[in-house]
Amino acid sequence: MELQLQTFLIVCPLVFLAGFVDAVAGGGGLISLPAYFIAGVPIHNAIATNKLSSATGTAISTIRYIRHAVIPWKIALPTIALTFVGSSLGARISLILDERILKGIMIVVLPIVAFFVLRKNSFLQEGKEPLSTGKTAVITMTAGLVIGCYDGLYGPGTGTFLLIILMGVAHMDMMSASGMTKIINLTSNISALIAFLFHGQVYIVLGLVASFFSIAGHYTGSGMVLKNGMKIVRPIILVVLCLLFLKIVTEF
């Protein structure tokens, strides 16, 4: 595919919006991946290039959490290893799937992901009795492997799913769960990106330009104090998803 100016004009503002939404309330992946597809980027390349622009924003957030020392490294290190394996496997599965199958997956999965992202706070409760280190490690490592595979295959909602599992199942506190979520998400992004780069699926120039807009979106969103962030985020996500569904249905 030959990249045209209109591709950048569609992708970059939406990726900026995705970064803003992600910083305010989470769920930016529901905008950033559709952005590439709406712009006419083939679905395999869209998934691959989205990993490049997403990884930059995730890296910035992860560095912040590492500086505040809220990541339990004894649990994080083996989880990182399994996440890398899972995401690499997911990316390879994505590469061998037919484009129509991936579009079908998108139609089925996106509404489910949107539901969990938009209702995220309903699933997150602190104050649960902490589990033993061993049980916590097993849960986080399993989550890293399974959700990492999903992230490599597809991606949107990964952070939300991880938070729900780490807080709801592993009984981690919000700060530790958030730190683990960032480090797992960054690992899965890097692992999948390596696989996609190796197979020549990433539009590097588009991904790098979009990366600047992703970082700008995260920076702008994180600098705003919004008491009712979801009231703004929800309609944005729904509009983008409606545009995506219209495009997929017309092309089937």
Side-chain angles (χ1 to χ4, degrees):
M1 174 184 172
E2 184 178 346
L3 294 177
Q4 299 179 351
L5 178 61
Q6 67 180 28
T7 305
F8 289 87
L9 292 178
I10 294 172
V11 168
C12 292
L14 285 175
V15 169
F16 172 86
L17 190 60
F20 177 86
V21 166
D22 214 39
V24 172
L30 287 170
I31 299 175
S32 62
L33 177 58
Y36 292 96
F37 193 56
I38 291 172
V41 178
I43 192 165
H44 288 92
N45 304 104
I47 293 173
T49 308
N50 184 54
K51 289 300 176 193
L52 176 54
S53 57
S54 296
T56 55
T58 305
I60 299 300
S61 300
T62 304
I63 291 171
R64 183 184 64 186
Y65 276 100
I66 291 175
R67 285 179 175 175
H68 286 81
V70 295
I71 298 175
W73 286 107
K74 288 184 179 180
I75 296 175
L77 291 177
T79 301
I80 288 171
L82 286 175
T83 300
F84 196 93
V85 173
S87 181
S88 179
L89 176 61
R92 281 165 171 75
I93 294 173
S94 175
L95 287 167
I96 64 176
L97 288 178
D98 183 79
E99 183 172 327
R100 284 182 65 86
I101 295 177
L102 281 175
K103 288 181 180 178
I105 292 174
M106 187 178 287
I107 291 175
V108 174
V109 172
L110 270 179
I112 298 173
V113 175
F115 170 79
F116 279 101
V117 169
L118 296 175
R119 295 291 303 275
K120 177 176 64 177
N121 292 336
S122 300
F123 297 99
L124 301 180
Q125 294 181 352
E126 288 194 274
K128 295 183 178 180
E129 187 70 24
L131 301 179
S132 66
T133 302
K135 289 182 178 180
T136 302
V138 169
I139 294 170
T140 56
M141 290 165 65
T142 303
L145 179 64
V146 175
I147 303 300
C149 184
Y150 165 76
D151 194 28
L153 172 65
Y154 192 55
T158 296
T160 297
F161 293 145
L162 286 168
L163 267 180
I164 291 172
I165 293 172
L166 295 180
M167 291 186 65
V169 182
H171 295 188
M172 297 180 73
D173 62 85
M174 175 62 85
M175 286 299 290
S176 296
S178 296
M180 283 292 294
T181 293
K182 293 299 181 185
I183 199 73
I184 292 172
N185 210 345
L186 178 61
T187 301
S188 62
N189 278 337
I190 292 174
S191 177
L193 179 59
I194 290 172
F196 288 131
L197 283 169
F198 183 78
H199 288 85
Q201 295 295 316
V202 181
Y203 291 162
I204 296 176
V205 174
L206 178 60
L208 288 176
V209 173
S211 294
F212 287 104
F213 283 84
S214 176
I215 293 172
H218 275 86
Y219 181 82
T220 304
S222 62
M224 297 187 69
V225 180
L226 296 174
K227 294 181 179 179
N228 297 308
M230 287 308 296
K231 289 185 177 180
I232 297 175
V233 168
R234 185 176 285 108
I236 293 174
I237 290 176
L238 293 178
V239 168
V240 173
L241 291 183
C242 286
L243 291 174
L244 176 63
F245 274 105
L246 285 173
K247 181 173 179 62
I248 293 176
V249 170
T250 56
E251 292 185 352
F252 244 93

